[in-house]
Amino acid sequence: MTQRIAYKPREIADCVSAALQAGDMDGVVAMFHPDCQIYFAPDQPPEVGLDGVARAFADFITLRPKVESAVFSEVVIGDTALLRANWRVVAPDGSIMAEGQSTEVAKRLQNGGWGYLIDCPNGPPPLA
């Protein structure tokens, strides 16, 4: 598969979407920082690291959905960025599988692109 690179933090979701639509799990994983944490359910423990990314997206990859992300806030300081976005996951038949408002922290990756470090698709988790 073609290596996708998010040249701006706001491009990460589009790269994830393209990889999902292609059924390319390696492409999805490549859009995350090795130290990442994914909080798909804010009240559950996060998936951690690149193996966690593969676990988190395992059910989605066979469906080949499209992720539509409308980033409405992006703050970049050096190699770290904070993003907020409205998003939805659309099945190939056009039905909405999930939607929400995310908060994400991105970091510059070794390839010079950007990847998610903290991914909170439904907002950050509550205090423990």
Side-chain angles (χ1 to χ4, degrees), residues 6 9 13 23 25 28 44 57 60-63 75 77 84 105 119 123:
M25 181 62 84
V28 172
Q44 298 294 316
F57 284 90
F60 285 110
I61 200 76
T62 57
L63 300 172
V75 178
I77 299 174
R84 301 225 28 236
V105 175
D119 187 7

Side-chain angles (χ1 to χ4, degrees), residues 39-82:
Y39 293 85
F40 272 178
D43 60 344
Q44 298 294 316
E47 289 289 354
V48 177
L50 300 180
D51 289 340
V53 174
R55 283 190 300 275
F57 284 90
D59 292 337
F60 285 110
I61 200 76
T62 57
L63 300 172
R64 297 188 177 212
K66 179 179 183 181
V67 176
E68 297 175 349
S69 178
V71 175
F72 61 86
S73 179
E74 178 185 64
V75 178
V76 179
I77 299 174
D79 65 353
T80 305
L82 175 66

Side-chain angles (χ1 to χ4, degrees), residues 6-13 16 30-37 71 73-84 102-110 112-120:
Y7 294 101
K8 296 179 181 178
R10 70 184 83 142
E11 297 173 350
I12 300 169
V16 169
M31 299 315 303
F32 286 79
H33 189 277
D35 298 328
C36 69
Q37 293 190 12
V71 175
S73 179
E74 178 185 64
V75 178
V76 179
I77 299 174
D79 65 353
T80 305
L82 175 66
L83 302 161
R84 301 225 28 236
S102 65
T103 301
E104 294 128 352
V105 175
K107 287 285 280 182
R108 194 167 295 277
L109 301 173
Q110 285 187 336
W114 291 86
Y116 291 128
L117 177 64
I118 302 171
D119 187 7
C120 303

